[in-house]
Amino acid sequence: MPELPFTAISWDQTLVSLGISAVAAGLAYRGAARVLRRQEVVRELRARRDALEQVVVVVDGPVVEYFENEEEEEYPQREMVELERRALQAQIYYLRDLEMQNALRDICYPSRYKEALSKIRATIEEVDRRIAAGGRA
């Protein structure tokens, strides 16, 4: 019967080892899940920023010249269609933000594009700050 105490000791050690490994696995899972959530938030923020930057890039050039010169008769149709398309694509990322929806709509109108452009640029800066912070609000 001298083997019985050694068996009891090794069984207790096995249970303690199992508990420690379960706690370690749980901590590793929570840490990995947190990192993956942050990476997803940063990826989403980058997609939003890229969509807004594409709108700003299209505004520069012939579109801004058309907006600034009201007496200019040549309508930059290709650029305006591209601007409307990119603004619509960017609106998808801001479905719940009515203010940004209005800015993206107004970017296509000569009388309202300046305010819209300043709102879009401010939002790009805000998104850049959130990206730099690692996706934290």
Side-chain angles (χ1 to χ4, degrees), residues 11 14 36 44-45 50 62-63 65-66 75 77 91 93 99 114 123:
W11 181 250
T14 303
L36 290 174
E44 177 72 19
L45 288 171
D50 291 346
V63 172
E65 290 173 10
Y66 170 72
Y75 178 77
Q77 185 169 351
Q91 282 181 337
Y93 288 107
E99 196 174 315
K114 287 182 182 179
T123 303

Side-chain angles (χ1 to χ4, degrees), residues 58-132:
V58 173
V59 169
D60 293 335
V63 172
V64 79
E65 290 173 10
Y66 170 72
F67 286 162
E68 295 292 327
N69 300 324
E70 295 175 5
E71 60 269 351
E72 186 173 318
E73 294 180 21
E74 188 174 330
Y75 178 77
Q77 185 169 351
R78 177 183 294 150
E79 289 83 3
M80 289 301 292
V81 168
E82 185 67 17
L83 174 62
E84 290 171 2
R85 184 180 73 82
R86 290 184 190 240
L88 184 61
Q89 287 175 338
Q91 282 181 337
I92 292 169
Y93 288 107
Y94 292 93
L95 289 175
R96 295 184 178 155
D97 187 351
L98 185 59
E99 196 174 315
M100 181 54 68
Q101 288 279 329
N102 290 336
L104 288 166
R105 180 201 62 213
D106 291 346
I107 196 73
C108 299
Y109 297 105
S111 61
R112 298 182 289 203
Y113 88 96
K114 287 182 182 179
E115 296 84 20
L117 192 57
S118 66
K119 170 65 178 160
I120 291 170
R121 287 187 171 142
T123 303
I124 289 172
E125 290 173 6
E126 177 186 331
V127 170
D128 281 338
R129 282 192 298 274
R130 286 188 64 194
I131 290 171

